[in-house]
Amino acid sequence: TDRKKLHTAPVGQVFRLRPFHVLVATGGGYAGYRKYEDYKLEQLEKRGIEVPVKLASEWEVALYKSVPTRLLSRAWGRLNQVELPTWLRKPVYSLYIWTFGVNMKEAAVEDLHHYRNLSEFFRRKLKPQARPVCCLHSVISPSDGKILNFGQVKNCEVEQVKGVTYSLESFLGPRICTEELHFSQAPPGNSFQQQLVTKEGNELYHCVIYLAPGDYHCFHSPTDWRVSHRRHFPGSLMSVNPGVARWIKELFCHNERVVLTGDWKHGFFSLTAVGATNVGSIRIYFDRDLHTNSPRYSKGSYNDFSFVSNNNKEGIPMRKGEHLGEFNLGSTIVLIFEAPKDFKFHLKAGQKIRFGEALGSL
């Protein structure tokens, strides 16, 4: 006959199933399923229906952590650096603006053709008058975002969202040398929380702010304080949106984060920038040695850096509202600080807040 012979290779050579492929497919599919579940929960919340807390099991957390989010985030970071053709910039940025509700009228440069790549667009600066800094209150919001939780720290546990907590010591890591932070020595038998409180009659407070992808991505100093120490925790880069924060206990302790600690006029003060999916890059303007989402750092470890030296006994002084750092897409800021018992927050859980607005005062 005139039929042509068909030569085929063994199936195993055409498609070889590797563990990595199974891991990515399974983990990615499950992450997509969780995103859909989060969307349904958000719709219920908008209708005013209270959603019961349902925590992830250990195998669910392990499956989610198996997704190579660090690798994907590094790839996303490189993609963000690719310069877009001038004709493509407006359509791409306009789609992002429409999807996430970005207000470009607040941007210092409104012309979309000005931003050469996605990274520049994410890190756009605002007009000076767009975010007036409140002078009447002692602590202001360091960023735009949504208030997930706030209040006093109790029993060494901090709430990431209502009903879901994480360990204060796991989050901040072992206590830093007291000489470095100019603190008095606490009795060794005290709890980790009590050791952070340096003045009698004071309490420890916390506030969690979630930055959505459409929010202004820079963060600022929430008060006048001195930054003495930086602790970098390499870790996972799971999503930190409210739905996932409600689902995974100690989510912030799993994720990569940069903890800045120091003191203000009332004692201990800390600001932590928490990484998330596609937000492997956390930048602190005065810290050139910081490199987040780097392959050279392994999960479960941490590295410290002191800003106090023989030539600089005071650390890094920060003024309220001063530029402090930035994310590449949006993530979470956690404030943990010491203040007198009459400190009051001027917030509601779930409210939107903008950089410069009041968080609380005495």
Side-chain angles (χ1 to χ4, degrees):
T1 65
D2 294 331
R3 292 182 182 177
K4 294 181 180 179
K5 293 182 178 180
L6 178 64
H7 296 278
T8 60
V11 176
Q13 293 180 15
V14 176
F15 179 75
R16 184 173 297 170
L17 199 61
R18 301 177 187 273
F20 178 76
H21 297 152
V22 176
L23 208 60
V24 171
T26 307
Y30 191 74
Y33 166 74
R34 287 307 314 173
K35 285 284 187 183
Y36 174 67
E37 290 293 310
D38 295 340
Y39 171 77
K40 292 198 298 183
L41 290 177
E42 288 177 6
Q43 296 303 310
L44 292 175
E45 285 183 342
K46 287 180 180 179
R47 297 176 189 173
I49 301 173
E50 188 173 348
V51 181
V53 175
K54 183 182 178 182
L55 294 177
S57 61
E58 290 186 9
W59 73 266
E60 288 178 307
V61 176
L63 182 58
Y64 191 0
K65 291 175 74 173
S66 71
V67 180
T69 51
R70 291 172 63 84
L71 180 62
L72 293 173
S73 296
R74 283 196 289 270
W76 174 253
R78 290 177 183 175
L79 179 63
N80 288 348
Q81 299 293 333
V82 175
E83 184 170 343
L84 296 176
T86 305
W87 62 268
L88 189 58
R89 294 174 188 175
K90 189 171 182 179
V92 170
Y93 300 146
S94 295
L95 177 62
Y96 186 91
I97 290 168
W98 177 78
T99 303
F100 296 107
V102 179
N103 184 3
M104 284 302 294
K105 292 183 179 179
E106 297 177 334
V109 180
E110 296 184 39
D111 182 11
L112 298 180
H113 296 99
H114 169 80
Y115 303 101
R116 294 174 298 177
N117 52 49
L118 284 166
S119 182
E120 285 189 3
F121 179 72
F122 293 148
R123 295 181 286 107
R124 63 193 177 277
K125 303 300 181 184
L126 299 182
K127 295 173 182 175
Q129 67 275 17
R131 296 290 187 275
V133 175
C134 177
C135 300
L136 301 177
H137 299 274
S138 53
V139 184
I140 62 168
S141 176
S143 65
D144 289 7
K146 178 181 180 181
I147 302 295
L148 294 189
N149 216 302
F150 63 92
Q152 283 190 19
V153 177
K154 297 179 180 178
N155 301 320
C156 294
E157 292 279 325
V158 186
E159 281 194 320
Q160 57 192 30
V161 293
K162 185 177 179 180
V164 182
T165 63
Y166 55 93
S167 163
L168 179 65
E169 186 169 5
S170 296
F171 182 70
L172 295 178
R175 190 163 181 257
I176 301 162
C177 177
T178 54
E179 291 81 4
E180 187 174 303
L181 294 179
H182 316 287
F183 293 165
S184 59
Q185 182 65 47
N190 285 6
S191 68
F192 184 81
Q193 178 179 337
Q194 292 171 327
Q195 291 178 24
L196 293 180
V197 177
T198 63
K199 298 180 181 179
E200 188 176 352
N202 280 3
E203 297 287 348
L204 207 60
Y205 297 86
H206 74 99
C207 182
V208 183
I209 305 170
Y210 166 68
L211 288 74
D215 288 328
Y216 169 55
H217 293 345
C218 297
F219 51 92
H220 301 245
S221 176
T223 191
D224 296 333
W225 64 308
R226 296 178 299 177
V227 184
S228 303
H229 188 272
R230 179 259 292 160
R231 176 168 285 162
H232 170 216
F233 289 86
S236 300
L237 289 172
M238 294 184 284
S239 172
V240 293
N241 74 51
V244 177
R246 188 184 296 108
W247 179 55
I248 297 180
K249 183 178 174 64
E250 299 206 331
L251 171 64
F252 299 154
C253 297
H254 290 296
N255 271 17
E256 181 151 8
R257 59 197 182 279
V258 176
V259 182
L260 300 178
T261 52
D263 60 298
W264 69 321
K265 60 183 178 181
H266 299 296
F268 174 80
F269 199 96
S270 74
L271 180 148
T272 302
V274 183
T277 307
N278 295 335
V279 197
S281 174
I282 302 171
R283 183 183 174 194
I284 304 297
Y285 294 137
F286 56 76
D287 189 354
R288 295 183 179 180
D289 295 320
L290 175 65
H291 299 284
T292 57
N293 196 15
S294 172
R296 64 178 175 175
Y297 296 126
S298 59
K299 295 181 183 180
S301 63
Y302 65 84
N303 55 84
D304 289 336
F305 185 86
S306 174
F307 299 110
V308 176
S309 63
N310 293 331
N311 298 326
N312 179 15
K313 299 289 186 180
E314 300 300 319
I316 307 294
M318 295 297 300
R319 304 296 297 175
K320 184 166 67 174
E322 186 177 351
H323 278 84
L324 182 55
E326 63 189 33
F327 294 110
N328 260 352
L329 186 61
S331 188
T332 298
I333 296 287
V334 180
L335 301 179
I336 298 175
F337 57 93
E338 174 185 358
K341 291 183 178 179
D342 57 350
F343 181 87
K344 300 294 182 184
F345 284 103
H346 305 289
L347 303 170
K348 292 181 180 179
Q351 78 171 73
K352 292 287 292 182
I353 197 165
R354 305 202 302 177
F355 154 63
E357 295 179 345
L359 285 185
S361 62
L362 297 169

